[in-house]
Amino acid sequence: MGCTTPTIWGKTQSPWQASRRRRIRMRFTARIAVIAVVTFLAGCCAIQRLIAKHEQLEFPVQLAKKKLNDPLNFTEVNEHVYALYAISDGRNGNMGSNRVRVLVVAWKNTKSDYKCRFPGGTIVDAEKPYEMAENHAMPFGTYFINCKIPKNETVGSFVKFTQGNSTWVDAPVIYNIPKKYKIKNYEHKLTICLPYFFGDLYTTELLVEFMELNRILGVDHVVVYINETEAFTHLSEAIAFYKKSNFLEVIHLPIPLRDDQIWYHGQLVAVTDCLYRNMGVSRFVAFQDLDEFLIPQKPELLPRTAPLLMLMETLLVDDIASIRVPTQYMHWKSFGELMTLRNTMRQSSIDSGLTKCVLRPEMIFEQGIHHTSRVIQDHYNATNGDENVIRLYHFKMKGGSQEDMRIVRDYGDRLTQKYREVMAKLSL
């Protein structure tokens, strides 16, 4: 009677049986704990391997960007060829490695007798000119002239360049892209390239709205190109405001040709420069215009902060180099401030032809206005975006039959507040 025997399911146990059952339960509990710890550690290892895989993706990184505060000016080689600058490209891929690539605009019937001369005096015949895909049979087009770097030569701050019997000119080496190695930290996460302001469409109100809505979406850097033939003094105060915060970078890039000589104001030159300018600098780069906005279609699945950036981090993974975003035309009938909130009617159809792209710049060799023309490795993929996931809202006077309140609903309050704050600082 000195020891009470516990019962299980109504059966009396001896002290020995009770002790044995306690030991069994303790061993069982210990095993469960060990399994839980092992499972947790295995999960941590898997996550760590995933992170390591992501961080250790080997991409080329841009080392040198020279004279970026100066205007980019073409040098006339002859009446048919104008050279902008050279790129030292060490990337391995389907366009050959260790090349100097001179970016030129040239008459379409120019003979292919280009040459490069390196600092040690070695003269190299250029390979066949690489014609950009979107020259559209205009009299002048955009080309890369590729010269293989001799083993006994190094690339300095410039290479000598010529065509035919023309005088040698200096092509400054602006971008230096070495062989692949790790990029752990980008200066920017999501950059928008705006290839050329032109015409009388652009206002301070539109520029501020564009910048603030994209900042809400997760953009942290915008590069805009200005042709010196266009004057945008009415935007100078807003441009200075965003430049001061390093959110906006303005590139002066005059094209030495008339508009009827080259496709779409020479925009392909600006697109190409913005691609190479951001290699190793920005993790993702989007190409669009001031009246276009990349809008996620399922924001409820994304964080409220920087939803577009978070979406790109889920879409542009592994061998996905570029996404073509389908276009949704929004009828632009009400002008003035906050036009994205005032114009909510859209066309019923989606345009999958005149798309715009978001990409990982290190994986691209040539980018067009509406599509990625060439990746640098054959196993990289340029894919079509899903209209149910992301769309390019292009505000244009094209009519509309369906209402789309997504921008108003998802970003309207924040956009209105930020817009008012900036306009007050600009005293407008």
Side-chain angles (χ1 to χ4, degrees):
M1 300 297 294
C3 181
T4 302
T5 57
T7 62
I8 295 180
W9 301 311
K11 296 181 179 179
T12 302
Q13 302 179 87
S14 68
W16 178 84
Q17 288 176 318
S19 176
R20 182 172 179 272
R21 288 186 180 276
R22 281 196 298 271
R23 289 196 300 272
I24 292 173
R25 284 197 297 269
M26 290 175 64
R27 285 198 296 270
F28 178 75
T29 302
R31 288 173 183 171
I32 293 297
V34 169
I35 292 172
V37 170
V38 170
T39 302
F40 173 76
L41 292 176
C44 290
C45 291
I47 293 172
Q48 184 61 38
R49 284 195 299 270
L50 179 62
I51 294 173
K53 178 183 177 183
H54 186 72
E55 289 183 344
Q56 294 175 7
L57 282 175
E58 292 187 343
F59 288 137
V61 63
Q62 176 179 326
L63 285 183
K65 295 200 303 181
K66 301 175 182 177
K67 302 180 181 178
L68 292 189
N69 293 324
D70 299 335
L72 293 175
N73 291 311
F74 280 89
T75 299
E76 182 177 344
V77 180
N78 54 50
E79 62 179 344
H80 293 146
V81 180
Y82 299 85
L84 184 58
Y85 54 64
I87 299 166
S88 177
D89 191 352
R91 292 177 296 175
N92 292 315
N94 51 36
M95 287 304 298
S97 62
N98 296 320
R99 298 295 197 273
V100 162
R101 311 190 192 279
V102 183
L103 183 60
V104 305
V105 293
W107 184 48
K108 62 182 179 180
N109 293 325
T110 301
K111 292 183 179 179
S112 302
D113 49 349
Y114 293 95
K115 292 180 175 63
C116 299
R117 188 168 73 200
F118 291 87
T122 306
I123 296 176
V124 173
D125 290 330
E127 298 162 352
K128 180 181 178 181
Y130 181 89
E131 181 178 3
M132 303 293 181
E134 294 189 18
N135 284 332
H136 296 290
M138 294 294 284
F140 281 79
T142 306
Y143 299 82
F144 268 139
I145 308 301
N146 300 304
C147 294
K148 185 173 177 58
I149 302 171
K151 292 183 179 180
N152 63 324
E153 289 279 6
T154 58
V155 178
S157 59
F158 67 90
V159 294
K160 293 285 187 179
F161 177 73
T162 192
Q163 186 271 327
N165 296 319
S166 300
T167 303
W168 290 91
V169 301
D170 290 343
V173 179
I174 300 295
Y175 305 123
N176 185 351
I177 308 169
K179 291 183 178 180
K180 298 179 180 181
Y181 69 94
K182 301 172 188 176
I183 301 175
K184 291 187 177 180
N185 295 302
Y186 289 91
E187 183 179 345
H188 303 290
K189 294 181 180 179
L190 177 55
T191 292
I192 289 178
C193 293
L194 291 172
Y196 282 131
F197 280 175
F198 55 84
D200 56 2
L201 171 67
Y202 305 111
T203 64
T204 296
E205 291 81 5
L206 180 57
L207 179 60
V208 172
E209 181 176 4
F210 179 88
M211 301 294 272
E212 294 308 317
L213 179 51
N214 278 295
R215 200 195 293 265
I216 292 170
L217 290 167
V219 174
D220 63 344
H221 184 221
V222 177
V223 183
V224 62
Y225 288 79
I226 295 178
N227 191 330
E228 293 301 303
T229 61
E230 298 279 354
F232 292 97
T233 54
H234 63 291
L235 298 177
S236 58
E237 191 173 354
I239 287 174
F241 174 81
Y242 286 109
K243 284 179 64 177
K244 186 177 180 180
S245 63
N246 295 319
F247 188 51
L248 178 65
E249 184 177 1
V250 179
I251 309 299
H252 297 267
L253 178 54
I255 300 295
L257 300 167
R258 301 189 311 271
D259 281 349
D260 62 351
Q261 292 179 302
I262 192 168
W263 179 254
Y264 207 57
H265 310 274
Q267 195 176 82
L268 198 53
V269 178
V271 169
T272 303
D273 178 74
C274 208
L275 170 66
Y276 282 83
R277 174 179 297 267
N278 284 289
M279 288 187 184
V281 175
S282 185
R283 185 176 178 187
F284 307 118
V285 176
F287 292 86
Q288 59 195 84
D289 292 325
L290 201 63
D291 53 1
E292 298 173 335
F293 300 85
L294 292 162
I295 304 298
Q297 296 299 292
K298 297 180 179 179
E300 66 277 6
L301 302 179
L302 298 167
R304 189 170 185 269
T305 302
L308 178 60
L309 173 61
M310 295 300 105
L311 180 59
M312 291 303 107
E313 289 182 347
T314 65
L315 297 179
L316 288 166
V317 295
D318 300 325
D319 287 339
I320 304 299
S322 171
I323 298 173
R324 293 185 67 184
V325 181
T327 298
Q328 172 176 297
Y329 291 107
M330 304 294 295
H331 183 42
W332 193 356
K333 68 174 183 178
S334 179
F335 293 85
E337 61 181 14
L338 295 173
M339 64 93 175
T340 58
L341 306 183
R342 298 166 61 181
N343 296 278
T344 59
M345 299 303 293
R346 72 173 183 89
Q347 289 189 340
S348 58
S349 60
I350 302 296
D351 189 339
S352 58
L354 297 179
T355 60
K356 292 298 175 69
C357 296
V358 190
L359 51 82
R360 298 154 76 183
E362 295 88 3
M363 302 171 78
I364 308 299
F365 178 77
E366 179 198 354
Q367 177 62 31
I369 297 171
H370 295 294
H371 71 287
T372 295
S373 305
R374 191 182 191 99
V375 292
I376 194 68
Q377 298 281 0
D378 290 337
H379 63 274
Y380 292 161
N381 295 311
T383 64
N384 294 321
D386 184 346
E387 66 182 61
N388 296 313
V389 175
I390 184 170
R391 297 180 187 180
L392 180 81
Y393 283 39
H394 186 175
F395 288 81
K396 199 169 185 177
M397 289 178 284
K398 291 176 70 73
S401 59
Q402 297 181 4
E403 188 175 48
D404 187 323
M405 297 292 291
R406 185 171 298 282
I407 295 179
V408 177
R409 183 183 66 244
D410 297 336
Y411 312 109
D413 291 343
R414 285 179 287 169
L415 173 59
T416 300
Q417 178 183 347
K418 293 297 183 181
Y419 175 86
R420 299 294 183 205
E421 290 175 0
V422 173
M423 295 300 284
K425 291 178 182 178
L426 296 176
S427 301
L428 295 174

